[in-house]
């Protein structure tokens, strides 16, 4: 299960980074790539249990931000 979630999170982070690149939002590419590196299943980074709590909380916040930004873009597209 951990390996599957690492693949999913890494892949989603790469997709988000590419989306930001295409939209010209360069300042969010670095955090997206950082998440892809942290959750990279081919070369995993080890953290203590306490550190993983913070990594997961920050990752969840970043993904929620991406979701909110994506919804705003979709609404604009539907209105225009």
């Amino acid at each position: 299960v951990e390996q599957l979630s690492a693949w999913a999170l890494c892949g989603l982070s790469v997709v988000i980074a590419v989306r930001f690149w295409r939209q010209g939002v360069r300042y969010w590419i670095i955090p997206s790539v950082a998440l892809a590196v942290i959750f990279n299943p081919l070369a995993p980074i080890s953290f203590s249990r306490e550190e993983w709590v913070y990594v997961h909380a920050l990752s969840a916040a970043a993904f929620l931000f991406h979701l909110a930004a994506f919804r705003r873009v979709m609404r604009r597209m539907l209105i225009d």
Side-chain angles (χ1 to χ4, degrees), residues 1-2 7-8 11 29-30 40 45 48 50 71-72 76:
V1 173
E2 289 180 26
W7 278 103
I29 293 171
I30 293 173
N40 179 6
I45 297 175
S48 68
E50 294 82 20
R71 291 184 71 190
R72 278 192 304 254
R76 286 186 201 144

Side-chain angles (χ1 to χ4, degrees), residues 38 45-58:
I38 289 171
I45 297 175
S46 62
F47 292 108
S48 68
R49 286 191 179 265
E50 294 82 20
E51 291 169 332
W52 272 116
V53 170
Y54 294 111
V55 169
H56 286 159
L58 290 172

Side-chain angles (χ1 to χ4, degrees), residues 4-5 20 22 33 36 39 41 48-49 51 57 59-61 63 68 75 78:
L4 181 61
S5 65
F20 279 131
R22 289 182 179 164
V33 170
F39 290 106
S48 68
R49 286 191 179 265
E51 291 169 332
S59 301
F63 284 121
R75 282 189 187 139
L78 291 174

